[in-house]
């Protein structure tokens, strides 16, 4: 079975390619490398002993995508490619809508041309918006978000749902991720964004490595036990395995399913900072600053559907996540 992984050189995509190849799938990666490095493909080869086929293309380039489908018998697609910086999306909404929607719809059109019916989509817990109570459950109304980035996830979920309604022999799994952190046990893959990281764990990694002076904790006056925000952090390898399970499900089924991928536990920013210090025997410099616009005080997953439908459950501890994040951060240039 051949799987096209768009955005397969990125953080979650690359970990998923490793799991797919290890499970015996043929993998074709399409990535424009706009937020990833080409040597990730070498690293995947080092880990798995097999080099995925790689195309440096933009998924909105229909002719290039057609070329991929002409060259390979693609049975299913896992679609990660897309812009993902929440704050940037507020500044550049048009760029986010154009890129994320265009690439997805172009991909779907080419899949239809080549009779490819299985789609796994990289969605986000952000689709639950600011008003749903946590833990979030898949049947809650996912009709709003707090950023253009988040709205692209809401809209793409809608587009896929409408498409499968019109083509009931297709299957789309909408995977709503919580907060993936950590890295592959080899220390060769991880979250290494260009520029100053927006997300907490890569920022912590750069402070620990001495590349950034100190972490600013965005607010300690939230209505949570220690005043800092709580999130559902999950190990990126668990998340990657979740994609494998979703693909196995999609192979056997038709229709649309939204599925949360999280641990079901809330961890605060302060708890994560201390867990990182303890797991790695490091002291992190940090200060408490003002709240960041758009942050919700707390949310985590109800992860029961993933277990019932896909047979998936997160297995790594917060300590595993912190240790592996540091293994990667201290080795990256
Ligand atoms: N935080 C800090 N300091 C930092 C960075 C983050 O205190 O330098 C805090 C944030 O305020 C938040 C927590 O760490 O409380 C987690 O922040 P992240 O940026 O790592 O993650 P978010 O929960 O904000 O964002 C994640 C995904 C998005 C998704 C969003 C949905 O990265 O893709 O959840 O709410 F849209």
């Amino acid at each position: 079975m051949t799987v096209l992984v768009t955005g397969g050189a990125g953080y979650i995509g690359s970990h998923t390619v490793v799991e797919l190849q290890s499970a015996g799938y043929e993998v074709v990666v399409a990535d424009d490398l706009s937020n990833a490095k080409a040597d990730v493909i070498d690293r995947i080869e080092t880990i798995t002993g097999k080099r995925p086929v790689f195309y440096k293309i933009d998924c909105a380039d229909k002719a290039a995508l057609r070329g991929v489908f002409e060259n390979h018998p693609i049975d299913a697609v896992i679609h990660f490619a897309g812009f993902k910086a929440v704050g940037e999306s507020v500044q550049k909404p048009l760029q986010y809508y154009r890129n994320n929607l265009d690439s997805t719809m172009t991909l779907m059109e080419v899949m239809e041309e080549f009779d490819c019916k299985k789609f796994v989509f990289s969605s986000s817990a952000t689709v639950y918006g600011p008003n749903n109570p946590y833990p979030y459950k898949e049947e809650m109304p996912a009709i709003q978000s707090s950023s253009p980035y988040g709205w692209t996830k809401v809209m793409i979920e809608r587009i896929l749902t409408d498409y499968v309604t019109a083509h009931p022999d297709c299957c789309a799994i909408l995977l709503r991720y919580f907060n993936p952190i950590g890295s592959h046990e080899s220390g060769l893959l991880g979250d290494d964004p260009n520029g100053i990281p927006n997300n907490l764990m890569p920022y912590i990694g750069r402070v620990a490595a001495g590349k950034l002076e100190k972490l600013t904790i965005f607010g300690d006056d939230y209505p949570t036990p220690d005043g800092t925000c709580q999130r559902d952090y999950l190990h990126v390898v668990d998340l990657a395995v979740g994609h494998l399970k979703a693909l196995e499900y999609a192979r056997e089924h038709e229709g649309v399913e939204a599925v949360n991928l999280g641990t079901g536990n809330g961890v605060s920013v302060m708890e994560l900072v201390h867990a990182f210090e303890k797991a790695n025997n490091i002291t992190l410099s940090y200060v408490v600053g003002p709240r960041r616009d758009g942050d919700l005080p707390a949310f985590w997953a109800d992860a029961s559907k993933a277990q019932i439908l896909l047979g998936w459950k997160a297995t790594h501890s917060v300590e595993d996540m912190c240790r592996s994040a540091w293994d990667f951060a201290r080795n990256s240039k």
Side-chain angles (χ1 to χ4, degrees):
M1 173 139 180
T2 305
V3 185
L4 172 63
V5 181
T6 75
Y11 173 46
I12 307 170
S14 59
H15 285 85
T16 302
V17 173
V18 166
E19 296 305 319
L20 289 169
Q21 292 203 149
S22 304
Y25 287 93
E26 296 296 319
V27 180
V28 177
V29 171
D31 197 307
D32 67 359
L33 300 181
S34 60
N35 193 24
K37 299 186 174 83
D39 73 353
V40 166
I41 303 299
D42 304 330
R43 290 162 181 241
I44 292 171
E45 184 179 4
T46 305
I47 293 167
T48 63
K50 187 168 177 193
R51 194 171 183 82
V53 178
F54 174 59
Y55 288 86
K56 183 177 179 301
I57 59 166
D58 178 344
C59 290
D61 179 344
K62 198 176 226 177
L65 259 189
R66 279 198 184 110
V68 174
F69 278 77
E70 274 156 11
N71 290 341
H72 306 276
I74 307 290
D75 298 296
V77 175
I78 305 181
H79 182 43
F80 293 101
F83 294 158
K84 63 170 190 177
V86 176
E88 184 185 57
S89 79
V90 177
Q91 306 302 321
K92 302 175 180 172
L94 201 51
Q95 200 171 309
Y96 270 67
Y97 287 117
R98 167 64 75 190
N99 181 67
N100 290 5
L101 298 180
D102 227 11
S103 58
T104 307
M105 289 191 289
T106 305
L107 176 61
M108 289 171 69
E109 285 168 354
V110 174
M111 286 175 69
E112 187 176 275
E113 277 177 35
F114 287 83
D115 206 28
C116 181
K117 299 178 194 295
K118 308 293 183 187
F119 199 107
V120 176
F121 177 57
S122 174
S123 190
S124 164
T126 192
V127 302
Y128 290 104
N131 300 322
N132 277 308
Y134 51 85
Y136 292 156
K137 296 181 175 38
E138 289 84 352
E139 65 270 21
M140 287 174 170
I143 47 162
Q144 42 183 316
S145 194
S146 40
S147 69
Y149 156 78
W151 275 108
T152 69
K153 298 294 183 191
V154 173
M155 289 175 186
I156 294 168
E157 285 202 0
R158 180 82 229 170
I159 292 167
L160 283 163
T161 303
D162 289 345
Y163 184 83
V164 176
T165 303
H167 301 86
D169 59 336
C170 292
C171 186
I173 310 296
L174 316 172
L175 295 178
R176 295 176 176 165
Y177 316 152
F178 284 72
N179 288 56
I181 59 172
S183 66
H184 189 265
E185 61 179 5
S186 62
L188 292 174
L189 299 175
D191 194 2
D192 191 16
N194 295 331
I196 299 198
N198 297 305
N199 296 116
L200 180 59
M201 188 52 100
Y203 204 106
I204 288 176
R206 292 205 191 163
V207 172
K211 292 175 190 160
L212 289 170
E213 194 196 334
K214 56 176 177 287
L215 170 73
T216 300
I217 294 178
F218 298 140
D220 68 352
D221 57 351
Y222 285 96
T224 59
D226 65 18
T228 65
C229 295
Q230 292 169 299
R231 294 288 181 272
D232 184 337
Y233 297 98
L234 78 157
H235 198 296
V236 68
V237 172
D238 280 333
L239 183 58
V241 171
H243 288 77
L244 196 64
K245 299 282 187 187
L247 183 66
E248 284 164 6
Y249 180 89
R251 287 175 67 178
E252 305 294 328
H253 295 84
E254 297 171 343
V256 185
E257 294 287 352
V259 184
N260 289 339
L261 294 181
T263 63
N265 301 314
V267 172
S268 75
V269 176
M270 201 61 97
E271 285 170 334
L272 193 69
V273 166
H274 292 320
F276 187 94
E277 292 183 318
K278 186 159 177 258
N280 299 309
N281 202 17
I282 279 176
T283 304
L284 287 171
S285 301
Y286 65 84
V287 289
V288 176
R291 293 181 178 194
R292 182 172 70 178
D293 274 355
D295 277 342
L296 297 175
F299 61 84
W300 52 85
D302 178 325
S304 51
K305 184 174 176 184
Q307 188 160 13
I308 294 162
L309 197 79
L310 308 179
W312 176 89
K313 196 173 183 310
T315 61
H316 290 81
S317 66
V318 172
E319 192 188 343
D320 293 337
M321 300 180 212
C322 290
R323 214 179 308 108
S324 66
W326 177 229
D327 281 346
F328 175 72
R330 73 170 160 211
N331 290 325
S332 56
K333 297 205 180 70

